Amino acid sequence: MIEITFLGSGGGRFITITQFRSTGGFHIQASRNVHVDPGPGALLRSWRYKLDPRKLDAIFVSHRHVDHCNDLEVMVEAMTGGALKKRGALIASKSVVYGDETHTPAIGRYHLDVLESVHIPEPGSRIPLGEEELIITPSQHSDPTTIGFRMKTRFGDISYIPDTAYFDELVRWHDGARLIIAAVTRPRDMGIPYHLSTDNAVEMLKNMEKKPEALVMTHIGMKMHLANPYKEAEYIENITGVKTYVAKEGLRVMINKKDIAVKTLRPARLV
């Protein structure tokens, strides 16, 4: 079984600074343990849901915006046993490692040096992770180096679509994935540049020859939060026939050969 645990479902500046929805990204437990987009709260919420960050094997960061990478260094520190063991992989956009015109790097030389491997891949690159393999996918975001992935597993493919505008090639890259996790930031009729809306999610799914078994909406922005994302998910499901879930803190998606199931975890009490 593969388990995906969401440690937050929020995104965008106003959700991030209010924490109306937490922003810790999500954790994939397959043959390797991978943390995806460790935004603010990733470390705390890992412990809250009994996901020991010292057992991570890799961290994936889609781009340099703070709601995706704020906790990167501390998660690297955990993965490397307090930066005392050289281990683990970082798979990240170029902006995360080198910065860009408006951002410094999200990780410094001290933490880069304790990683076993650092990958700064382009779309189409293939990166083995234990029994799984990541195929890096493109995005069209205000950070032009933003990347997503399609994870090849023995139970089918799992796609992650981070912040992006809708573009036709999204369908080609993610068609046939069994599960799609997508940053659907805006509700119907309220789209903005560089982000997916409910309307875009519908268009993408309708254009797929082989639709996913399930879609998980994450990276919920303030407008989507106030519009009721569960109604937006119901709309997507009714139009496309694809089972659609809204991520929330503690949501666990379980994938095996036969089906995809979900449950909500109770947080551990922290002393």
Side-chain angles (χ1 to χ4, degrees), residues 7 14 164 190 210 212 222 262:
L7 303 172
F14 298 113
T164 183
M190 297 187 71
K210 186 177 180 182
M222 185 65 80
V262 302

Side-chain angles (χ1 to χ4, degrees), residues 154-167:
R154 61 193 177 108
F155 299 125
D157 293 0
I158 300 166
S159 275
Y160 174 48
I161 303 174
D163 289 339
T164 183
Y166 180 79
F167 60 107

Side-chain angles (χ1 to χ4, degrees), residues 114-171:
V114 295
L115 289 162
E116 190 171 18
S117 62
V118 177
H119 305 267
I120 309 169
E122 296 292 332
S125 299
R126 305 176 82 101
I127 301 171
L129 282 176
E131 297 174 7
E132 291 75 46
E133 181 183 50
L134 289 189
I135 300 173
I136 303 304
T137 60
S139 293
Q140 292 185 1
H141 190 42
S142 54
D143 176 343
T145 69
T146 301
I147 51 173
F149 64 76
R150 181 167 180 153
M151 177 182 276
K152 310 289 289 186
T153 85
R154 61 193 177 108
F155 299 125
D157 293 0
I158 300 166
S159 275
Y160 174 48
I161 303 174
D163 289 339
T164 183
Y166 180 79
F167 60 107
D168 291 340
E169 285 293 288
L170 274 181
V171 173

